[in-house]
Amino acid sequence: MGARHAVVAGGGIGGLAAAVALNRRGWRVTVCERAPVLTGIGAGIVLAPNALRALDSIGLGPEVWAGEALAGAVGLRTPDGRWLSRAGTGAALSRHGLPARAVHRGFLIDALAAALPPGVVRLGVSVTGVEHAGGAVVARTSAGDLRADAVVAADGMRSVLRGQLFPRHPGLRHAGEAGWRAVLPGIGPPARSAAETWGRGERFGTVPLVDGRIYLYATAATGPGTKPADHHAELTRRFGTWHHPIPALLDRLDPRNPEPVDVLHHDFHELASPLPRFHSGRVALLGDAAHAMTPNMGQGGCQAIEDAVVLAHALASDADVPAALAAYTESRHRRTTLISRRSRRIGDLARLSHPLAVSARNLAVRATPPAVTSRALDTVLGWQPPSGPASTGVRA
């Protein structure tokens, strides 16, 4: 009997991580990616300790650990530059065993793709539906049908397969915010500290990437479909008087510069109502397709990587595939739901705009010891990859 076959719908971070994890468990994998090329659409991603452990468990530790980790102080500031909360990353290192690393999404996509055998990824091919057929599942694709033992739906927050499997689910909800993202080339010695500044319904953040570039992002409370005609002008209007170095960073986004920088803008959406489960028969949902969450904790991509590792672990044995996917749901549903809710609550706090509410929020943040904040993240950052018999499931 030959190797079991899995079709992965989507060649993003979660889909490629699942493909690598399954391939290393002996599965034959086909990744269908509708885009003509694999690209790290987006900007930076912070690989928290939980994601780094997950990647290491599938053999990608050395690739993502290259370069300097986040160092110095991380925390929250007010628009005038005062710190609300500040902690050294050394505490996280001692607490969780390794520090976070911030990389460009394109770097991570390339590392995952390079870990796959040639021919696994089929570009320009989209999965349009699935159909169970006896002891198998058929993936309907734009290039023809693919028969498989399992299908992994990693086709993003607007997942076509999620809509087919759970047609009565309410789907995405606008989270009340929009965001901008950009990556600036490093100039001179790179700053090795990350910080986020909270104003009245607005945020601005900077994260140094391991390659010396600077990932910056900004958010604002807006309704759906609100898109500025000039992103640089809008960002300058909102954040141009905030503390150093924000005005200087915004100047580097001016489209009139000799080397203009791409600025991405998008509305925030989430699956505010959790799916009833992350599987149906021989189909498993993963990442944003399963639990799209707001970016307030920086855990969307990290949870997708966790999903991939746990899914491959559940499918490692010769157990019945539907039963293995039920164990995957049991392992992942509660954890991702709790993280999604926590991320939503952080967003609710960040969107406060009334002066009294903002003052009360800032006072509460300032009064909370950093050690308390660190302990609150232990269940998120302290996650460990599954081990032991796959049939037992992995509770987290």
Side-chain angles (χ1 to χ4, degrees):
M1 182 177 178
R4 292 188 292 178
H5 180 214
V7 172
V8 179
I13 290 172
L16 291 176
V20 172
L22 287 167
N23 178 257
R24 294 188 181 231
R25 294 285 191 173
W27 281 68
R28 181 169 64 89
V29 185
T30 302
V31 177
C32 296
E33 168 53 47
R34 65 181 180 181
V37 293
L38 281 179
T39 59
I41 296 174
I45 179 172
V46 176
L47 296 173
N50 53 313
L52 290 173
R53 291 190 203 93
L55 290 168
D56 188 46
S57 75
I58 57 175
L60 284 169
E63 285 82 355
V64 299
W65 289 349
E68 293 186 50
L70 287 176
V74 295
L76 293 176
R77 304 176 80 174
T78 59
D80 61 6
R82 289 177 297 172
W83 288 96
L84 293 173
S85 175
R86 193 178 192 184
T89 54
L93 175 60
S94 62
R95 195 171 191 89
H96 302 295
L98 67 169
R101 279 174 162 76
V103 302
H104 195 283
R105 285 177 179 267
F107 167 83
L108 185 55
I109 290 287
D110 290 345
L112 290 165
L116 291 169
V120 166
V121 180
R122 299 187 184 182
L123 298 173
V125 178
S126 58
V127 178
T128 58
V130 290
E131 181 178 336
H132 285 86
V137 59
V138 176
R140 309 293 186 193
T141 84
S142 57
D145 292 349
L146 291 173
R147 188 176 179 87
D149 297 281
V151 169
V152 180
D155 51 343
M157 68 168 57
R158 290 179 171 79
S159 169
V160 171
L161 298 186
R162 181 183 68 229
Q164 177 188 337
L165 298 174
F166 300 100
R168 296 185 179 180
H169 188 270
L172 294 173
R173 186 199 71 151
H174 189 268
E177 284 184 287
W180 294 263
R181 292 173 295 165
V183 174
L184 297 175
I187 296 178
R192 301 313 306 167
S193 61
E196 187 168 288
T197 302
W198 283 16
R200 295 171 54 183
E202 298 170 330
R203 285 176 286 175
F204 195 99
T206 57
V207 181
L209 303 184
V210 296
D211 60 11
R213 290 183 290 176
I214 302 170
Y215 167 43
L216 59 85
Y217 59 91
T219 73
T222 64
T226 304
K227 186 174 182 179
D230 185 328
H231 293 307
H232 175 253
E234 181 68 8
L235 288 167
T236 301
R237 181 183 72 82
R238 289 181 178 274
F239 306 102
T241 60
W242 287 23
H243 65 79
H244 174 80
I246 293 174
L249 294 173
L250 293 177
D251 286 343
R252 295 176 61 187
L253 297 180
D254 192 326
R256 297 169 296 184
N257 289 336
E259 297 182 5
V261 174
D262 290 334
V263 178
L264 305 175
H265 178 270
H266 62 286
D267 286 339
F268 291 170
H269 292 87
E270 62 172 339
L271 286 178
S273 299
L275 293 174
R277 58 190 182 279
F278 292 164
H279 73 286
S280 180
R282 291 176 173 267
V283 182
L285 290 98
L286 177 151
D288 283 348
H291 45 71
M293 62 184 69
T294 59
N296 302 303
M297 291 186 68
Q299 278 289 314
C302 296
Q303 291 305 303
I305 296 168
E306 283 189 17
D307 287 347
V309 169
V310 174
L311 176 64
H313 176 75
L315 290 169
S317 70
D318 293 329
D320 177 67
V321 169
L325 298 189
Y328 161 71
T329 283
E330 182 182 5
S331 300
R332 299 300 299 160
H333 195 277
R334 182 175 181 272
R335 173 172 171 81
T336 56
T337 298
L338 291 175
I339 292 173
S340 179
R341 288 174 179 169
R342 184 183 293 189
S343 183
R344 185 183 312 129
R345 288 196 296 268
I346 294 173
D348 292 341
L349 287 174
R351 285 196 307 276
L352 292 174
S353 59
H354 191 281
L356 292 179
V358 170
S359 295
R361 176 198 69 192
N362 292 353
L363 181 62
V365 172
R366 191 178 284 116
T368 303
V372 173
T373 303
S374 296
R375 284 196 297 271
L377 291 173
D378 281 352
T379 56
V380 177
L381 304 183
W383 178 89
Q384 297 287 338
S387 61
S391 60
T392 63
V394 184
R395 288 191 178 273

